[in-house]
């Protein structure tokens, strides 16, 4: 049993290690030299595997992290005098240090509220029609987070409704897929069913939160938007000279199916924790547990005691409360200890 000072990580799926499948392919890529700057066989294979998995001839780019993925993708989807509509809790609004505005040379983010962390067609339309004069940044892109910042999932029906309002006002649709794999697992839906088949123009697909050391994939289903995108990546310092060390672990996730089984396990662990919390007195869940994040309201003394025992979690993400995030390697034993510590603190 860990001592009171031993860190126990549930703050984020970023704290987890590299999964075996990714590590195996990383080691394979290290067995021989290959071409630089994405001209290697591993990067070509990974891009082709994405196209097979999505059943679409999309353009695929690899970058180091999610902030770069979102910021560069959005910069390609509009101009500096345009605006991007997103939820008020969206990562691009709250946690990317102005990156989307910086890389787009000034495009403004317009935020909308929405229950359970979701944008609504009504909220989007309200922002688009608020003003139409030349002094207002022209809305051009809608950015959705799937799964949302509060661990909820957009259904296909919700995505189609948002695409309909986007079509009405000639808006492009960007998806921040930091936990896209968790959404696919939750809905038992294919990647195609949650992207281009519901009108998504570009997806930023995270590997870091799902078993990679680093590395995000940007997929353009609207290939016109990808024109000269490789130059954007280079200019932003996102072109890896040894790109195979980014793409080979991705290939490990894709070819083995670990991209989905890792997400399924993380979701299962979150549901396990959620059900355990529901049984404790004085504890209330803040949002439905639909992916791998659990948001819960805890009394202040419980939060303090958990921190003293070494538990890591955030209390500033979403709409307050405590956030616990499960990963590909989260165990039932770890969650049972957390539940026991919360129960002890409550008593």
């Amino acid at each position: 049993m860990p001592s009171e000072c031993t860190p126990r990580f549930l703050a984020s799926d970023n704290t987890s290690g590299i999964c075996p499948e990714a590590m195996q392919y990383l080691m394979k890529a290290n067995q021989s030299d290959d071409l630089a700057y994405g001209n290697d066989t591993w990067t070509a294979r990974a891009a082709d595997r994405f196209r097979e998995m999505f059943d679409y001839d999309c353009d695929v780019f690899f970058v180091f992290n999610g902030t770069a993925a979102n910021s560069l993708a959005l910069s390609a989807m509009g101009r500096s005098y345009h605006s991007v509509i997103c939820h008020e809790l969206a990562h691009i609004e709250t946690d990317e240090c102005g990156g989307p505005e910086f890389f787009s040379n000034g495009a403004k983010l317009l935020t909308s509220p929405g229950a359970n962390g979701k944008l609504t067609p009504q909220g989007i339309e309200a922002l688009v029609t608020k003003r139409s004069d030349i002094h207002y940044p022209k809305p051009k892109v809608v950015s959705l987070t799937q799964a949302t910042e509060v661990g909820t999932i957009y259904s296909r029906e919700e995505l189609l409704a948002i695409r309909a309002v986007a079509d009405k006002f000639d808006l492009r649709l960007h998806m921040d897929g930091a936990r896209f794999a968790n959404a696919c697992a939750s809905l038992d839906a294919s990647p195609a069913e949650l992207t281009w088949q519901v009108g998504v123009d570009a997806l930023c697909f995270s590997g870091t939160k799902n078993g990679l050391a680093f590395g995000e994939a940007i997929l353009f289903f609207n290939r016109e938007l990808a024109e000269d995108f490789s130059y954007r990546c280079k200019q932003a310092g996102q072109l890896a000279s040894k790109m195979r060390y980014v793409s080979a672990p991705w290939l490990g996730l894709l070819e083995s199916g670990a991209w989905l089984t890792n997400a399924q396990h993380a979701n299962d662990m979150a549901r396990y924790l959620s059900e355990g919390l529901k049984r404790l007195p004085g504890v209330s869940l803040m949002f439905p547990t639909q992916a791998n994040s659990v948001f819960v309201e805890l009394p202040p003394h419980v939060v303090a005691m958990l921190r003293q025992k070494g538990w890591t979690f955030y209390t500033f993400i979403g709409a307050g409360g405590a956030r616990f995030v499960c990963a590909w390697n989260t165990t039932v034993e770890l969650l049972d200890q957390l539940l026991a510590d919360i129960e002890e603190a409550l008593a």
Side-chain angles (χ1 to χ4, degrees), residues 32-43:
S32 61
D33 293 352
D34 211 323
L35 295 173
Y37 300 111
N39 297 309
D40 59 279
T41 56
W42 295 94
T43 301

Side-chain angles (χ1 to χ4, degrees), residues 318-339:
R323 186 191 79 165
F324 298 95
V325 183
C326 299
W328 68 270
N329 59 347
T330 301
T331 64
V332 168
E333 291 74 19
L334 182 72
L335 300 181
D336 282 343
Q337 185 59 54
L338 173 63
L339 291 167

Side-chain angles (χ1 to χ4, degrees), residues 250-281:
W250 257 118
L251 191 63
L253 289 189
L254 301 180
E255 289 195 343
S256 68
W259 74 273
L260 185 59
T261 56
N262 282 351
Q264 288 170 332
H265 174 79
N267 289 1
D268 289 344
M269 291 296 95
R271 282 193 294 271
Y272 181 88
L273 176 59
S274 181
E275 292 302 316
L277 289 168
K278 288 177 184 177
R279 293 191 290 267
L280 298 179

Side-chain angles (χ1 to χ4, degrees), residues 84 86-98 100-101 108-112 149 176:
V84 177
C86 64
H87 193 275
E88 62 185 359
L89 299 178
H91 201 271
I92 60 172
E93 164 67 10
T94 65
D95 290 282
E96 290 183 353
C97 197
E101 296 94 331
K108 184 174 177 58
L109 301 184
L110 302 177
T111 64
S112 173
E149 295 298 327
D176 176 353

Side-chain angles (χ1 to χ4, degrees), residues 16-17 89 101 104 129 131 158 169 175 182 189 282 300 310 326 343:
S16 61
L89 299 178
E101 296 94 331
S104 65
T129 59
R131 285 172 60 180
E158 288 172 319
F169 295 106
M175 180 172 283
N182 302 91
C326 299
E343 187 172 19

Side-chain angles (χ1 to χ4, degrees), residues 41-120:
T41 56
W42 295 94
T43 301
R45 285 173 59 192
D48 285 341
R49 188 66 185 85
F50 271 117
R51 296 182 185 108
E52 293 172 13
M53 190 171 86
F54 281 81
D55 193 26
Y56 199 94
D57 187 20
C58 51
D59 281 335
V60 182
F61 301 88
F62 296 97
V63 296
F64 292 113
N65 56 51
T67 294
N70 286 329
S71 300
L72 292 174
L74 289 169
S75 74
M77 299 179 77
R79 297 185 181 275
S80 58
Y81 49 83
H82 286 149
S83 56
V84 177
I85 295 172
C86 64
H87 193 275
E88 62 185 359
L89 299 178
H91 201 271
I92 60 172
E93 164 67 10
T94 65
D95 290 282
E96 290 183 353
C97 197
E101 296 94 331
F102 176 81
F103 282 101
S104 65
N105 292 315
K108 184 174 177 58
L109 301 184
L110 302 177
T111 64
S112 173
N116 292 328
K118 298 181 187 180
L119 279 177
T120 64

Side-chain angles (χ1 to χ4, degrees), residues 17-222:
I18 305 174
C19 71
E21 295 83 359
M23 183 65 80
Q24 179 186 9
Y25 274 65
L26 180 63
M27 297 297 290
K28 286 181 180 179
N30 197 47
Q31 290 174 359
S32 61
D33 293 352
D34 211 323
L35 295 173
Y37 300 111
N39 297 309
D40 59 279
T41 56
W42 295 94
T43 301
R45 285 173 59 192
D48 285 341
R49 188 66 185 85
F50 271 117
R51 296 182 185 108
E52 293 172 13
M53 190 171 86
F54 281 81
D55 193 26
Y56 199 94
D57 187 20
C58 51
D59 281 335
V60 182
F61 301 88
F62 296 97
V63 296
F64 292 113
N65 56 51
T67 294
N70 286 329
S71 300
L72 292 174
L74 289 169
S75 74
M77 299 179 77
R79 297 185 181 275
S80 58
Y81 49 83
H82 286 149
S83 56
V84 177
I85 295 172
C86 64
H87 193 275
E88 62 185 359
L89 299 178
H91 201 271
I92 60 172
E93 164 67 10
T94 65
D95 290 282
E96 290 183 353
C97 197
E101 296 94 331
F102 176 81
F103 282 101
S104 65
N105 292 315
K108 184 174 177 58
L109 301 184
L110 302 177
T111 64
S112 173
N116 292 328
K118 298 181 187 180
L119 279 177
T120 64
Q122 297 77 15
I124 294 168
E125 183 161 0
L127 285 174
V128 175
T129 59
K130 182 179 179 180
R131 285 172 60 180
S132 59
D133 59 275
I134 201 168
H135 305 287
Y136 190 67
K138 183 180 180 181
K140 193 62 179 177
V141 185
V142 174
S143 180
L144 305 175
T145 310
Q146 178 77 310
T148 73
E149 295 298 327
V150 296
T152 55
I153 305 289
Y154 286 96
S155 68
R156 273 178 51 83
E157 292 72 24
E158 288 172 319
L159 294 173
L160 286 167
I162 288 173
R163 181 68 257 183
V165 77
D167 288 339
K168 180 178 178 181
F169 295 106
D170 190 27
L171 304 174
R172 293 159 178 169
L173 191 54
H174 164 264
M175 180 172 283
D176 176 353
R179 296 181 176 91
F180 178 73
N182 302 91
C184 291
S186 179
L187 293 176
D188 192 22
S190 72
E193 288 175 318
L194 296 184
T195 53
W196 63 268
Q197 289 185 7
V198 292
V200 172
D201 292 301
L203 166 71
C204 297
F205 192 166
S206 175
T208 309
K209 298 184 190 310
N210 198 24
L212 300 190
F214 55 86
E216 317 295 295
I218 306 170
L219 281 64
F220 284 98
F221 305 104
N222 182 345

